[in-house]
Amino acid sequence: MQSLRLLLMTQWLLLFLPICTASYILKDDYGNDERFFDKFDFFTEADPTRGYVSYVNRSTAKLTSLISASNGSVYLGVDNKNPAWGPGRRSVRLTSHQSYNHGLIILDLAHMPGTVCGTWPAFWMIGTVPPTAGEIDIIEGINEGPLNQVTLHTNQDGCIVKNSGFSGSLGRQNCYIYSTGPAGAGGCGIVDPYPESYGGIFNAVGGGVYATEWTSDVIRVWRFPRSKIPGNMQSGSPDPSTWGTPVASFSGSCNIDAQFNNLHLVFDITFCGDWAGGAWASSRLCAPKAPTCFEYVRNNPRAFEESYWRVNSLKVYQRT
Ligand SMILES: *[C@@H]1O[C@H](CO)[C@@H](O)[C@H](O)[C@H]1NC(C)=O
Ligand SMILES: *[C@@H]1O[C@H](CO)[C@@H](O)[C@H](O)[C@H]1NC(C)=O
């Protein structure tokens, strides 16, 4: 009897142990007041993607209202009042002090940069010396492009992802950054098929949540409209196993732990540059607005009134 009870108890423990150890606990809450900015560096060097942008420091950003915190959210924007000068239109690029290995990153946005010609906004993760530690682009788009694209870039060859386990549509399967020639051009990307994933339409439906899970086996991204945020996420006990099919999932012939490490969180809004500038001439909506992306961005400050992030919350969870 005793031993049977012990046996039953052991089985019970074995049954529940994996569930307990698998849960996520809150590691970093970036908050939604002025202290949010204490947790980031303000990058002020020339844009590595050759954008027509001038990234300003925290004091200049505050003085010129490019950053603020109010009403339970944090604002990160661009100069939408003055013609641009010098290296380009004023904007901010924030890099988290904290770097991560694995985790669950949950970003609740009231607003993301709108769908605006000349812009190239992104919320992403990168190592200290890019791109040697890999790169995870969670939210990214350019010009009038209406859809979000989730992309991985690896600095070493040998990361080929499979085309299953997600609802988006996969472009290239090779994540190696040099796979198509110049650095940055290569990468494996998954496009979210729904316009509410990005820009103006995302904002029109009241924003929503992007959740990114990064483990040794897989990197996955879910997007939730505000009305469909999972209960376990709202209650602070997020459980991705209950969230259904993600928009993007990268797994397959890829040693994730060898390719991605010590990544920082980054928010930025740049203009033109390699991608948005490179695509200007072939954009049916943008090209007629000005001969070059640079001229459009320089002369039309009011065009960028929708170019801002409004963050309700940013939380990083890790396994217990
Ligand atoms: C911020 O940038 C402004 C303008 O370039 C400069 O005058 C100021 O010294 C900088 N502040 C800090 C704290 O670096
Ligand atoms: C804060 O919220 C109030 C009420 O919704 C609104 O009137 C006000 O404009 C908001 N302030 C900012 C800076 O967004």
Side-chain angles (χ1 to χ4, degrees):
M1 201 60 198
Q2 276 296 14
S3 60
L4 180 64
R5 199 176 292 158
L6 199 68
L7 188 72
L8 285 172
M9 217 151 103
T10 317
Q11 280 178 339
W12 188 88
L13 272 175
L14 284 175
L15 204 68
F16 283 85
L17 212 58
I19 296 170
C20 295
T21 53
S23 63
Y24 277 106
I25 59 154
L26 185 61
K27 175 159 188 304
D28 292 316
D29 182 349
Y30 283 79
N32 53 20
D33 59 22
E34 202 64 38
R35 285 169 294 183
F36 177 93
F37 302 111
D38 297 340
K39 301 181 177 81
F40 291 89
D41 282 320
F42 281 66
F43 177 94
T44 55
E45 285 157 46
D47 181 4
T49 60
R50 290 156 286 277
Y52 179 57
V53 70
S54 174
Y55 287 127
V56 301
N57 62 28
R58 183 174 175 174
S59 48
T60 301
K62 191 158 166 57
L63 214 62
T64 54
S65 303
L66 300 197
I67 58 166
S68 62
S70 64
N71 278 1
S73 64
V74 165
Y75 173 96
L76 309 169
V78 306
D79 179 357
N80 56 28
K81 298 191 174 59
N82 306 291
W85 74 96
R89 183 159 296 285
R90 294 189 161 211
S91 179
V92 288
R93 171 165 160 157
L94 273 60
T95 307
S96 67
H97 295 311
Q98 186 67 49
S99 66
Y100 299 96
N101 289 293
H102 297 177
L104 180 62
I105 296 104
I106 302 185
L107 175 68
D108 184 329
L109 291 173
H111 188 280
M112 74 163 73
T115 315
V116 178
C117 289
T119 60
W120 176 6
F123 171 65
W124 49 302
M125 300 186 78
I126 185 121
T128 311
V129 188
T132 54
E135 179 180 325
I136 305 172
D137 301 329
I138 300 165
I139 300 174
E140 188 175 26
I142 54 156
N143 295 332
E144 84 285 25
L147 305 172
N148 186 47
Q149 180 171 318
V150 185
T151 306
L152 304 187
H153 300 281
T154 64
N155 193 55
Q156 302 155 70
D157 207 351
C159 180
I160 312 290
V161 295
K162 62 183 187 196
N163 191 7
S164 62
F166 51 92
S167 61
S169 66
L170 178 68
R172 281 192 295 266
Q173 291 183 270
N174 190 341
C175 306
Y176 183 38
I177 198 156
Y178 294 103
S179 62
T180 57
C188 48
I190 296 177
V191 173
D192 189 327
Y194 295 99
E196 57 266 39
S197 65
Y198 185 72
I201 311 278
F202 175 87
N203 299 330
V205 301
V209 171
Y210 271 89
T212 305
E213 185 181 36
W214 166 16
T215 72
S216 294
D217 302 317
V218 67
I219 293 170
R220 285 190 273 234
V221 174
W222 286 262
R223 173 181 54 79
F224 300 104
R226 196 154 297 293
S227 59
K228 298 208 175 100
I229 298 172
N232 56 39
M233 186 189 280
Q234 285 174 324
S235 68
S237 309
D239 181 3
S241 71
T242 67
W243 295 348
T245 305
V247 165
S249 176
F250 300 92
S251 66
S253 174
C254 182
N255 184 340
I256 290 177
D257 288 346
Q259 298 278 11
F260 300 91
N261 50 74
N262 301 320
L263 301 188
H264 300 258
L265 296 162
V266 182
F267 288 94
D268 72 61
I269 303 173
T270 188
F271 302 94
C272 307
D274 292 345
W275 196 14
W280 184 266
S282 59
S283 164
R284 267 186 296 162
L285 193 79
C286 302
K289 291 180 187 289
T292 62
C293 182
F294 153 81
E295 283 166 84
Y296 184 70
V297 171
R298 184 183 57 193
N299 299 329
N300 294 282
R302 300 290 300 276
F304 306 105
E305 285 177 347
E306 283 294 309
S307 296
Y308 65 92
W309 302 93
R310 192 170 268 290
V311 179
N312 288 329
S313 67
L314 171 60
K315 294 177 182 173
V316 179
Y317 293 81
Q318 288 189 316
R319 296 256 191 225
T320 44

